Amino acid sequence: MPIFHAYDGTELAYRLLGEGAPLICLPGGPIRAGTYMGDLGGLSAHRRLVVPDPRGAGDSAVPDDPASYRCDRLVDDIEALREHLGEDRVDLLAHSAAGNLAALYAARYPERLRTLTLVTPGTLAVGIEVTEQDWYEASELRRDEPWYPAARAALDDFLAGGASDEVRAAVAPLVYGRWDEAARAHAAAGPGQTNSAAAGFYYEDGAFDPAATVAALAAFTAPVLVLAGEYDGGPTPDRAAELVALFPNAEFVVQRGAAHFPWLDDPGAFVRTVQAFLDPDVISVQAGGIRLAHRVWGDPSAPPVVLAHGRCGDSRTWTAIAEHLAAEHRVYAFDFRGHGLSDWPGRYSFELFRDDLHAFLEARNLAGATVIGHSMGAAAAYLLAEREPGLIGRLVLEEVPPPFPLDPPRTPARRPDEELDFDWPVVPSTDAQLNGPDPAWQERLGGITAPTLVIGGGPTSQIAQERLVWLAGRIPGGRFVTIEAGHLVHTERPDEFLAEIRKFGLS
């Protein structure tokens, strides 16, 4: 493992995982070797993870002065690592007890941080205390689990001051979203990775000055992500929300089904959330209870255009179109639920995608925007235009699936073996609706008040073009054009696509 030297000469080790811009990842414990973080659920596929072992743990040396384990004195170890990496500013991620260390670092060296990600973080540094009641209320969420009675009894001992390995082992199921084989192995490795004797110095008197730290963080303007676990007791989502309120530029996410180690409980959800936060081109917004990731181009004061992608795609499929439209418009392209970097909740339907579009328009205050949808996104758009006349200013439907039962119906699809950029249940759920669409989808087309352009891909498209002509005719003020490109019109024939929507009224 590579090493660097702390301010007092102590040799500190760190691991490097993945490629790309560095992300310093501080392990919790406190004083626990960073190996327990693994590759953070696959985050190393997107960033170069720099995972230091705290002094006295893992491959780092034991310091001469045990008082140097105190949390506020460890701040300069992080600064030494930044200098060693040769980075003027860094992205910093901290887990659990290291949330305290990261808060102190942000307060002391705010100019050195590009972003700060706090994962189920400790909060004592800012004066937020996790109470026994927090732990008991969190444990009640797990009462139907078979291991609950033993864990609940152990929690009583733990909160009464029992810190033996036996007590910790018995209470361990409460800090994992799933108590499966992987969680049991992870928990069993904990004692061997942690310097328990050194951990006692971490919280010694003088380590924290909450009033001063809170005041400093109020002026900390870098983006902050606080990620809490739904089932976590330390901190609970409510306590984590208190932490969020201390930062002027913070995003708050509660990972469903997760406890204290969210990258183990649902690696995909964890990586999508953190990846979206760290990508400067991606913004996340909570819309209708779903985190929707999106990209934005153009002048904020320009007329808005919202781009809605097709099934199995995401906002990136619109990049070329968005860059052209951005000359005269403020362009938003978002990922529907179950796609790209948005939440993947597992339940999908055209109505839920409609609701995503509706919630996104409301969350971004985009009433009256032009909406351009492709395929599934187009279906969501016309369903919304039916339900909320006047919400959409202009409507472009590219290769929209018409509201007729498929003939012949689609047979059950088989999931591909490779990793997907979308949640596979999207496919069987929407295939079922394409085979048997709600008759109301047809009946309400006449209620659409937005001027509507329907674009068909011509004879090589899998969609019956005569039914697109019919659909355009049912919408008051609707018109139909053909661009012979097949189903992917805006990617195969972008110039002609842009020309047609400009004729339609987009300058």
Side-chain angles (χ1 to χ4, degrees):
M1 291 176 70
I3 63 167
F4 66 102
H5 290 85
Y7 64 94
D8 60 354
T10 303
E11 287 191 348
L12 303 179
Y14 61 96
R15 290 182 301 137
L16 292 173
L17 300 170
E19 300 294 334
L23 173 66
I24 296 177
C25 304
L26 303 182
I31 317 299
R32 183 173 179 178
T35 52
Y36 82 92
M37 302 178 88
D39 68 351
L40 287 175
L43 188 59
S44 61
H46 309 281
R47 295 296 294 263
R48 187 169 180 81
L49 307 186
V50 182
V51 187
D53 283 343
R55 55 177 59 213
D59 289 328
S60 288
V62 175
D64 294 331
D65 180 7
S68 66
Y69 288 122
R70 204 172 75 174
C71 186
D72 58 325
R73 294 176 179 171
L74 295 175
V75 169
D76 285 324
D77 287 357
I78 310 308
E79 178 62 1
L81 175 56
R82 181 198 63 78
E83 292 178 346
H84 168 76
L85 295 173
E87 298 288 332
D88 183 57
R89 298 169 69 222
V90 294
D91 297 306
L92 182 65
L93 179 149
H95 174 243
S96 190
N100 297 295
L101 177 56
L104 296 184
Y105 185 86
R108 192 181 303 178
Y109 297 105
E111 73 284 358
R112 296 304 186 187
L113 285 177
R114 185 180 299 106
T115 64
L116 177 60
T117 302
L118 302 173
V119 179
T120 59
T123 56
L124 283 177
V126 295
I128 298 172
E129 293 194 22
V130 174
T131 67
E132 291 186 3
Q133 187 63 26
D134 290 336
W135 277 104
Y136 287 133
E137 289 179 0
S139 72
E140 282 295 307
L141 300 175
R142 320 297 297 280
R143 64 177 306 107
D144 293 331
E145 301 280 1
W147 45 259
Y148 175 79
R152 179 63 172 76
L155 181 61
D156 290 336
D157 291 339
F158 180 76
L159 295 176
S164 68
D165 288 345
E166 292 76 12
V167 169
R168 290 180 179 274
V171 82
L174 291 171
V175 299
Y176 294 90
R178 296 191 312 272
W179 189 235
D180 54 14
E181 183 177 348
R184 290 192 290 271
H186 190 265
Q193 297 166 341
T194 305
N195 185 337
S196 299
F201 293 95
Y202 192 81
Y203 298 110
E204 270 198 336
D205 290 345
F208 305 128
D209 182 349
T213 302
V214 168
L217 295 181
F220 181 72
T221 58
V224 177
L225 170 66
V226 177
L227 193 157
E230 178 186 7
Y231 299 143
D232 198 10
T236 62
D238 285 347
R239 291 286 176 258
E242 293 179 34
L243 176 63
V244 174
L246 302 180
F247 295 96
N249 185 19
E251 176 183 340
F252 182 41
V253 173
V254 178
Q255 185 171 314
R256 296 181 180 89
H260 200 60
F261 303 94
W263 66 88
L264 290 176
D265 298 328
D266 187 339
F270 177 81
V271 170
R272 286 189 295 275
T273 299
V274 177
Q275 184 186 353
F277 171 71
L278 292 175
D279 189 332
D281 295 326
V282 175
I283 304 167
S284 290
V285 63
Q286 291 291 331
I290 299 292
R291 184 185 57 81
L292 297 178
H294 60 286
R295 294 170 168 85
V296 184
W297 298 259
D299 186 338
S301 64
V305 174
V306 176
L307 306 175
H309 65 80
R311 190 174 79 170
C312 310
D314 59 49
S315 55
R316 294 172 296 179
T317 67
W318 289 110
T319 299
I321 298 298
E323 289 173 347
H324 281 281
L325 292 176
E328 300 292 339
H329 298 84
R330 179 69 161 176
V331 184
Y332 301 81
F334 74 99
D335 296 344
F336 282 103
R337 70 178 67 203
H339 295 78
L341 297 180
S342 290
D343 283 346
W344 294 14
R347 291 181 56 251
Y348 306 101
S349 68
F350 284 106
E351 292 85 356
L352 288 173
F353 297 132
R354 172 202 65 197
D355 294 345
D356 285 348
L357 176 58
H358 190 181
F360 182 78
L361 293 175
E362 289 193 336
R364 296 308 308 256
N365 194 26
L366 294 173
T370 294
V371 174
I372 302 174
H374 172 241
S375 192
M376 179 194 82
Y382 87 69
L383 292 178
L384 179 58
E386 291 178 341
R387 186 174 185 175
E388 298 288 340
L391 179 62
I392 295 172
R394 285 179 176 271
L395 184 60
V396 178
L397 306 176
E398 173 199 352
E399 278 287 289
V400 60
F404 293 91
L406 292 179
D407 185 20
R410 287 186 181 169
T411 57
R414 179 180 177 182
R415 188 193 189 285
D417 293 333
E418 67 266 19
E419 186 175 346
L420 303 174
D421 290 331
F422 65 94
D423 197 6
W424 175 251
V426 167
V427 172
S429 297
T430 52
D431 274 355
Q433 290 190 287
L434 292 171
N435 285 339
D438 185 341
W441 297 357
Q442 280 193 32
E443 296 164 5
R444 295 173 183 161
L445 287 169
I448 295 176
T449 60
T452 301
L453 173 65
V454 179
I455 299 177
T460 58
S461 169
Q462 69 264 36
I463 291 178
Q465 300 294 288
E466 66 275 10
R467 288 188 166 173
L468 295 185
V469 173
W470 176 91
L471 184 146
R474 290 295 299 269
I475 299 172
R479 69 185 186 89
F480 176 78
V481 298
T482 297
I483 301 174
E484 295 195 1
H487 190 57
L488 304 176
V489 179
H490 73 270
T491 55
E492 296 295 327
R493 297 283 190 274
D495 291 341
E496 291 141 278
F497 181 85
L498 286 164
E500 289 295 342
I501 64 176
R502 284 173 174 144
K503 288 180 192 175
F504 178 60
L506 273 77
S507 57

